[in-house]
Amino acid sequence: MLELYVVMAFMLIASAIAVSLRGLLSSVISVGAVGLGLCVMFLLLKAPDLAITQLVVEILMLVILIRATIGRGVSRIFHRSSVWIFAVFFVFAAGFLAAAWVSLKDMPAFGEPLMRVSDYFIRNALERTGAANIVTSVVLDFRAYDTLGEATILFTSVIGVLALMRSKGRKKTDERDEPDS
Amino acid sequence: MILFVLDLVLMLMGLYVLITNRNLIKKVIGFAIMEHGLNLLLIMIGYRKGGEAPVVSPGMSVSAIPFVDPLPQAVVLTSIVIGLGITALMVGMCIRIYQRYGTFDIAEIRRLRG
């Protein structure tokens, strides 16, 4: 139980550093520390599949963010720290906390989940799907349509990134055959 | 319950930097922090005290062993991968904006646009 609090404190400190630092590269590295702390947290909460996925995804995300940051983070942005933006933040934070209180009020306490649907999955996963890993059987069999939607979203975002980052656009029709001939 | 509250604090930090910071990359970072907090919250709801990881080994009777809730784990597995796609898309937009305007400052971008 104690180790959960230790890792949680590590994540909080790392995210506070990521929030408060001015330099972009150090901030990106701190958010990587948050993600790796989350990876350890998943291991402690008995979710090894998630820990593996989170590790891979975190490294990829760090590479992408560093690609965006490197050589560009030098331009410092000075805040005027206007009062209005903090007022907006407090309004949003109050709304967020109210929604969290309403939804967490009826939640079972930490360590005693409901397991109403999951009991069926746990009891029947092995004989109905043949997968020893119950998470895999849920992802790929019981809730396969969710996975199809995930693949669709991933494909769409890849198409979006390709369309955004394409360095050579398609030439217009009238200037296409001019230069080479 | 304290862990839930600490996790809400983590998400509030992400919300803070998402709203108050004017740097686009810092906004992406705040979004990533909120996403991490949300995934962690879902997994913590499904945790059972003294539970085992939901993997069946041979010779193990399924009904006797307290497994952790596998359903939030499956959903969060989807959510993590989607989060990577969203972050990549946002970073791509940020790089394009930087190439066009030469800055990450949203106030500066708005002013140059006219």
Side-chain angles (χ1 to χ4, degrees), chain B:
Chain B
M1 211 59 196
I2 302 171
L3 276 172
F4 287 161
V5 175
L6 287 178
D7 193 75
L8 285 182
V9 171
L10 186 69
M11 287 173 76
L12 271 182
M13 280 187 200
L15 188 68
Y16 172 79
V17 76
L18 192 60
I19 290 178
T20 60
N21 213 305
R22 281 178 15 195
N23 196 326
L24 276 176
I25 295 289
K26 286 301 264 299
K27 279 178 190 289
V28 174
I29 286 171
F31 189 83
I33 290 176
M34 279 197 85
E35 192 186 295
H36 287 159
L38 183 61
N39 290 340
L40 183 56
L41 184 69
L42 286 175
I43 289 300
M44 283 199 299
I45 285 171
Y47 180 68
R48 181 191 270 186
K49 267 205 183 86
E52 290 285 321
V55 180
V56 184
S57 338
M60 184 189 259
S61 85
V62 178
S63 52
I65 294 171
F67 282 124
V68 175
D69 198 347
L71 191 56
Q73 294 193 12
V75 178
V76 168
L77 196 63
T78 308
S79 155
I80 287 174
V81 179
I82 288 177
L84 176 69
I86 292 174
T87 309
L89 195 56
M90 285 196 294
V91 168
M93 284 183 192
C94 291
I95 290 173
R96 275 296 177 209
I97 286 172
Y98 190 90
Q99 282 177 356
R100 179 157 177 149
Y101 294 105
T103 178
F104 280 135
D105 190 349
I106 50 168
E108 200 77 18
I109 290 164
R110 196 173 51 199
R111 210 189 62 206
L112 285 177
R113 183 90 183 165

Side-chain angles (χ1 to χ4, degrees), chain A residues 14-90:
Chain A
S15 91
I17 290 173
V19 164
S20 59
L21 277 184
R22 275 285 166 87
L24 279 184
L25 193 57
S26 40
S27 182
V28 164
I29 289 169
S30 306
V31 87
V34 177
L36 296 179
L38 182 64
C39 177
V40 176
M41 202 79 178
F42 282 156
L43 267 185
L44 293 177
L45 289 170
K46 301 288 178 333
D49 314 279
L50 288 183
I52 297 167
T53 315
Q54 176 67 36
L55 186 62
V56 174
V57 161
E58 191 58 42
I59 290 169
L60 272 178
M61 190 191 275
L62 215 56
V63 168
I64 292 169
L65 277 171
I66 286 176
R67 162 71 179 83
T69 309
I70 205 124
R72 298 190 178 91
V74 195
S75 64
R76 295 289 165 85
I77 295 172
F78 294 105
H79 295 274
R80 285 192 303 275
S81 71
S82 90
V83 185
W84 286 108
I85 201 87
F86 285 105
V88 168
F89 166 67
F90 280 121

